[in-house]
Amino acid sequence: MVQRVDSHDDVYDRQIRLWGADAQKRMSNARVLYVRLTGVTCEIMKNLVLAGVAAAVCDDRPYPEAVREMPCSFFRAGDMEAAAARGESGEGEGAEPDAKKAKTAPTTVAAAIQPKVEELNPLLAGRNSIEERSLASLPDDYFAQFDAVVASRLTVDEAKRISSCLQTVEEGNKLFIVTDTFGLDGCAQLDFGKGHTYRREIGKDKLSDLSKVEPYLPLEQMLGAELAGATGRWDKQPPRILVVHRLLMEYWGRSDKPTDFAAFAQEWLSTNQLPADALDLASLAEIARHPEVSPVCAVLGGMLGNEVIKALTGKGEPANNVMLFDGMDGGCRSFLLKGKE
């Protein structure tokens, strides 16, 4: 019996009908860099790899310690614990000698997830890659080789550095997303690049003329904007979810995490001229330690995957420039963070 091998067009037939052959070609030629995997970025990666977008994973954190609590359908915590137990005991069917095991057992998150990514879409074999160097050791021109960068658990300084590196790209159309989920909420800050153009969908098989993202604010400047002034037509106070995200970026980025989260948060709120009662610090302290909830990661990951596809294909109006997901009502809305006028 001859086994049938599905071709590129067979696998992506439904997508080609939805987006068109040109859009699928752009996606198939693109590469997205994922910096530090979390539940939400794993969901984005899964959706895009299945859609034909190659992935590069940059995550030098120790495996499995760094991702034991990460909710992910294809990179399950139970599998990690079982692998770790087999590695420690050396027992189980087909157990390898200690010397060989030491050479083959993955020690970083990037190395551990690589075979899982390959399994998702065999058509991308040889195009996916990993990076096990630390983020700080990567040269500034490293990020420009990718069409988009999706990151989680970054410090503000790390996010600013990547944004600054992408701003130097001549085309100016590299997408950069910093996203995290915390409890029932999630936040994404998006920078489509100063040169990004798109066509708005105005009807069936009809697209508008080329438009640019306006007003445009680089993510580096977004992170430097004063939160106390982050208001809008429907937001007389800075959005709570955005405030929480910035607070947690500062907290997670501390190598010497304070034992008293509430005291740290109150000092941070005061420094940023935000009211001391703006957040429920008692519940937030527990969320900071155990932030991710699987359904929130799945929903926000699906939405952000769509934003990446918009950026790669140039079809559809992008979210400019913050997305706020509230799990209490299941709503996700855009918020425009403005620079100094």
Side-chain angles (χ1 to χ4, degrees):
M1 181 177 177
V2 178
Q3 184 176 5
R4 177 188 173 188
V5 178
D6 290 331
S7 69
H8 176 280
D9 289 350
D10 290 332
V11 172
Y12 303 128
D13 176 66
R14 297 174 75 178
Q15 294 171 195
I16 292 173
R17 296 186 188 195
L18 176 62
W19 295 311
D22 180 63
Q24 184 60 48
K25 182 178 180 181
R26 293 187 186 187
M27 292 167 56
S28 297
N29 290 334
R31 293 178 71 214
V32 176
L33 173 67
Y34 300 89
V35 180
R36 295 196 188 127
L37 294 179
T38 57
V40 65
T41 54
C42 272
E43 288 292 337
I44 298 170
M45 180 169 64
K46 176 196 69 176
N47 295 336
L48 293 178
V49 168
L50 290 174
V53 182
V57 178
C58 173
D59 198 334
D60 69 325
R61 294 177 300 168
Y63 168 84
E65 293 81 5
V67 288
R68 276 198 170 114
E69 295 187 3
M70 182 177 72
C72 178
S73 59
F74 69 96
F75 196 40
R76 298 187 305 135
D79 293 342
M80 298 180 212
E81 294 295 345
R86 288 196 299 270
E88 292 168 2
S89 65
E91 299 175 354
E93 186 178 349
E96 298 177 340
D98 290 342
K100 185 176 181 181
K101 190 189 307 172
K103 295 180 181 179
T104 59
T107 58
T108 65
V109 175
I113 202 170
Q114 185 177 26
K116 300 289 186 180
V117 175
E118 296 290 350
E119 288 175 11
L120 286 174
N121 191 341
L123 288 180
L124 294 178
R127 294 200 58 223
N128 300 314
S129 62
I130 62 171
E131 177 57 72
E132 296 185 273
R133 289 178 292 176
S134 68
L135 184 59
S137 68
L138 297 176
D140 288 348
D141 59 358
Y142 173 80
F143 307 98
Q145 65 183 295
F146 303 99
D147 298 275
V149 178
V150 178
S152 273
R153 299 297 174 89
L154 293 188
T155 66
V156 171
D157 288 340
E158 288 172 337
K160 285 183 176 181
R161 182 205 168 200
I162 296 176
S163 175
S164 177
C165 294
L166 295 177
Q167 289 297 310
T168 63
V169 178
E170 185 176 351
E171 299 85 356
N173 59 351
K174 304 290 187 179
L175 172 63
F176 182 29
I177 297 177
V178 176
T179 182
D180 290 288
T181 64
F182 28 89
L184 295 180
D185 300 324
C187 181
Q189 301 178 67
L190 306 95
D191 178 355
F192 283 82
K194 60 181 181 295
H196 177 69
T197 57
Y198 66 93
R199 297 183 187 273
R200 187 181 294 105
E201 296 175 296
I202 57 176
K204 185 177 181 181
D205 300 325
K206 293 183 179 180
L207 297 172
S208 69
D209 294 333
L210 282 174
S211 302
K212 298 190 73 171
V213 178
E214 294 180 345
Y216 170 70
L217 191 67
L219 200 141
E220 183 180 14
Q221 294 181 28
M222 290 169 58
L223 293 171
E226 295 181 359
L227 279 177
T231 58
R233 182 178 181 183
W234 309 111
D235 297 272
K236 304 307 178 185
Q237 299 292 330
R240 175 187 59 83
I241 294 174
L242 176 60
V243 172
V244 172
H245 190 204
R246 291 286 187 80
L247 168 61
L248 292 179
M249 285 180 72
E250 294 283 358
Y251 177 72
W252 289 330
R254 293 281 295 269
S255 57
D256 54 336
K257 288 186 176 57
T259 54
D260 189 344
F261 175 83
F264 168 82
Q266 286 174 348
E267 181 180 353
W268 182 88
L269 289 170
S270 176
T271 301
N272 286 274
Q273 300 179 342
L274 296 167
D277 59 351
L279 305 174
D280 180 0
L281 300 183
S283 59
L284 195 55
E286 183 64 21
I287 291 173
R289 288 190 290 270
H290 310 285
E292 294 192 300
V293 178
S294 183
V296 177
C297 295
V299 175
L300 184 58
M303 294 177 180
L304 292 176
N306 190 46
E307 291 299 321
V308 177
I309 290 173
K310 288 181 189 178
L312 298 179
T313 62
K315 289 186 175 181
E317 184 174 5
N320 188 25
N321 46 23
V322 177
M323 292 179 66
L324 306 169
F325 177 77
D326 186 342
M328 289 299 292
D329 59 19
C332 187
R333 66 185 180 97
S334 294
F335 175 78
L336 179 62
L337 187 60
K338 301 177 182 178
K340 295 180 179 179
E341 297 181 357

